Amino acid sequence: EENVDLNGPEFKQLMEHLASLPGIETRIHHEKGTERVLTEVYLIGSTLQLSVEDMKALPCVERVVRVSEPYRVLGRHKDDQRLSYFDYNGLRFGQDTLHVFAGLCAVDTREHVEMMMRALRDHGQVCTRMGAYKPRTSPYSFQGHGKACLPYVFELAGKYGIKVIAMEITHEDHIDQIREALHMTGNPTGVMLQIGTRNAQNFELLKAVGRQQEFPVLFKRGFGITLDESLNAAEYLASEGNRKVIFGLRGMKTNMGDPHRNFVDFSHVPVVKRLTRMPVCIDPSHSVGSRAMAPDGLLDIMHVTAQGVIAGANMILVDFHPEPSKALVDGPQALTLAELPYFLEDVRIAREAYLRRAA
Ligand code: E4P
Ligand code: PEP
């Protein structure tokens, strides 16, 4: 239920008044809260001349906030502790939900995709990750099967009840390729577009992805820039209109001879949740980068996953492979299908512990 009647005379009067203000542009966003949909009207331009008190007196206005923080749409402003959500293909994403996206870092064969999806279905999972377009350090490394694999990936997703696939895109043309393949296969699944760490500041790609509102977006933090720079980059998506954005932590480059592929940054989960209204994803696979194991017999990937979940993570993106030694990308960090139930069990235990303490 909307908090205002968008077709009513009062809202019309408000919008007419705002349109008459010189040097001011308006943008409307609908924020889905626990009980109702909040309509937020953003005033962009010379807002310093406006008085908060005058704005409060206008029809339909419940609250006026002067936003000076850079993350205008995605940020959490002043005392606003409200939770908001977005729904996509039957699933709800917010700062209090948790979804596991286990799957292939890179699609290699149809058989491996099917084995992965069957295992997910058998363990009650409805989300996965599938890499078709791979951003590689070397131009000579496998770059992904691209659009050629999309039809069988989507068809198998439908067969095994997968509702959302996280899939990285590296060029805006990939959005159309995904849309076409979904259409061709009868829309059997949903897709969450992923912006990888290497494209975190590819502003034209961000703008293009932000302009479409059909697919939600997983934005991964840049591995060599500040958190503030990454949050600003995520804001590009929302400023163009798409606020169905999840913020991904995947470790940072530190060049300090770290034992992990990247320095694990999951202690930033609550920081991002405090600064913004985005759900937060953790990627233990790209953070740790290997199957290293502690003396307690647990893989470091399992340890850091539990740390991220305890910190309040809302999504886990994690690499699995039926035969890691045959994986064409990032095999050394892939968990096996036999490890899937243990991984899910660890997530359940950590989540239960988190929920016991969280407000
Ligand atoms: C996969 O997810 C990325 O493409 C991969 O981590 C890139 O790393 P590399 O090309 O250095 O192997
Ligand atoms: C990935 O998730 O496949 C990936 C390339 O991750 P990142 O952008 O974090 O390196």
Side-chain angles (χ1 to χ4, degrees):
E1 196 199 328
E2 291 272 353
N3 62 333
V4 286
D5 176 5
L6 299 177
N7 298 313
E10 288 202 317
F11 190 70
K12 190 164 169 253
Q13 199 188 329
L14 169 71
M15 293 313 289
E16 277 170 3
H17 175 72
L18 297 178
S20 73
L21 298 173
I24 301 284
E25 244 185 76
T26 55
R27 260 188 224 166
I28 300 183
H29 288 286
H30 302 286
E31 189 77 14
K32 190 174 278 184
T34 30
E35 275 145 33
R36 53 190 193 150
V37 178
L38 292 173
T39 302
E40 297 179 342
V41 181
Y42 287 80
L43 305 187
I44 299 155
S46 337
T47 51
L48 274 181
Q49 39 150 351
L50 304 173
S51 119
V52 169
E53 288 313 312
D54 288 354
M55 302 309 287
K56 263 190 199 152
L58 294 172
C60 297
V61 175
E62 220 173 78
R63 204 162 171 267
V64 178
V65 178
R66 194 179 278 288
V67 179
S68 49
E69 295 90 340
Y71 335 123
R72 296 204 178 171
V73 180
L74 295 173
R76 209 172 258 300
H77 304 302
K78 304 276 186 296
D79 55 347
D80 189 357
Q81 294 304 313
R82 287 173 297 194
L83 280 173
S84 51
Y85 303 93
F86 66 82
D87 293 313
Y88 179 61
N89 213 26
L91 298 182
R92 171 156 285 201
F93 295 86
Q95 286 192 336
D96 62 351
T97 60
L98 176 63
H99 299 284
V100 178
F101 284 64
L104 303 182
C105 179
V107 170
D108 41 28
T109 65
R110 182 187 168 106
E111 289 65 37
H112 286 153
V113 173
E114 179 145 28
M115 286 165 84
M116 185 71 235
M117 290 193 183
R118 190 185 301 122
L120 290 169
R121 194 260 331 258
D122 291 350
H123 291 95
Q125 299 302 297
V126 292
C127 298
T128 190
R129 58 158 299 150
M130 288 283 148
Y133 310 95
K134 297 308 300 177
R136 302 306 302 277
T137 304
S138 162
Y140 307 112
S141 299
F142 175 63
Q143 308 279 316
H145 288 311
K147 70 175 180 182
C149 68
L150 299 182
Y152 68 78
V153 169
F154 295 157
E155 177 208 315
L156 289 167
K159 178 172 172 188
Y160 290 101
I162 298 292
K163 290 182 193 286
V164 185
I165 302 178
M167 183 173 279
E168 178 163 0
I169 58 161
T170 53
H171 192 281
E172 63 175 287
D173 290 353
H174 300 159
I175 309 173
D176 284 335
Q177 294 177 7
I178 289 172
R179 199 180 278 123
E180 274 161 32
L182 281 172
H183 181 70
M184 217 175 75
T185 48
N187 289 305
T189 184
V191 171
M192 179 182 288
L193 302 177
Q194 186 176 318
I195 303 288
T197 197
R198 292 161 181 77
N199 276 311
Q201 285 188 309
N202 182 342
F203 300 118
E204 295 311 314
L205 178 64
L206 292 171
K207 285 191 228 169
V209 173
R211 277 194 294 273
Q212 65 77 39
Q213 311 208 6
E214 182 180 351
F215 304 110
V217 187
L218 167 62
F219 170 87
K220 290 180 115 181
R221 170 185 204 167
F223 52 20
I225 57 176
T226 64
L227 181 63
D228 175 60
E229 286 165 334
S230 285
L231 294 174
N232 268 293
E235 182 74 16
Y236 267 90
L237 297 158
S239 73
E240 291 290 327
N242 190 339
R243 62 182 313 158
K244 296 179 187 164
V245 184
I246 296 180
F247 191 84
L249 297 173
R250 45 82 69 216
M252 302 292 295
K253 274 194 190 302
T254 61
N255 286 328
M256 292 196 302
D258 301 316
H260 291 156
R261 186 178 183 189
N262 291 286
F263 192 77
V264 182
D265 55 352
F266 298 169
S267 55
H268 289 180
V269 171
V271 177
V272 177
K273 286 168 88 169
R274 190 162 59 238
L275 292 174
T276 78
R277 298 184 282 192
M278 286 184 277
V280 182
C281 174
I282 52 165
D283 177 344
S285 311
H286 287 80
S287 299
V288 171
S290 75
R291 295 179 53 85
M293 188 182 280
D296 59 14
L298 289 177
L299 296 169
D300 290 12
I301 289 179
M302 302 281 203
H303 272 293
V304 302
T305 301
Q307 288 162 16
V309 174
I310 283 285
N314 307 112
M315 172 170 166
I316 304 168
L317 191 77
V318 56
D319 294 359
F320 276 77
H321 197 282
E323 294 179 86
S325 62
K326 292 197 182 152
L328 297 179
V329 185
D330 288 345
Q333 70 194 28
L335 301 181
T336 64
L337 300 190
E339 287 165 336
L340 181 61
Y342 301 103
F343 181 86
L344 294 172
E345 171 76 353
D346 279 13
V347 169
R348 193 186 58 71
I349 294 168
R351 178 71 175 170
E352 245 176 52
Y354 166 76
L355 288 175
R356 212 177 287 171
R357 284 288 177 264

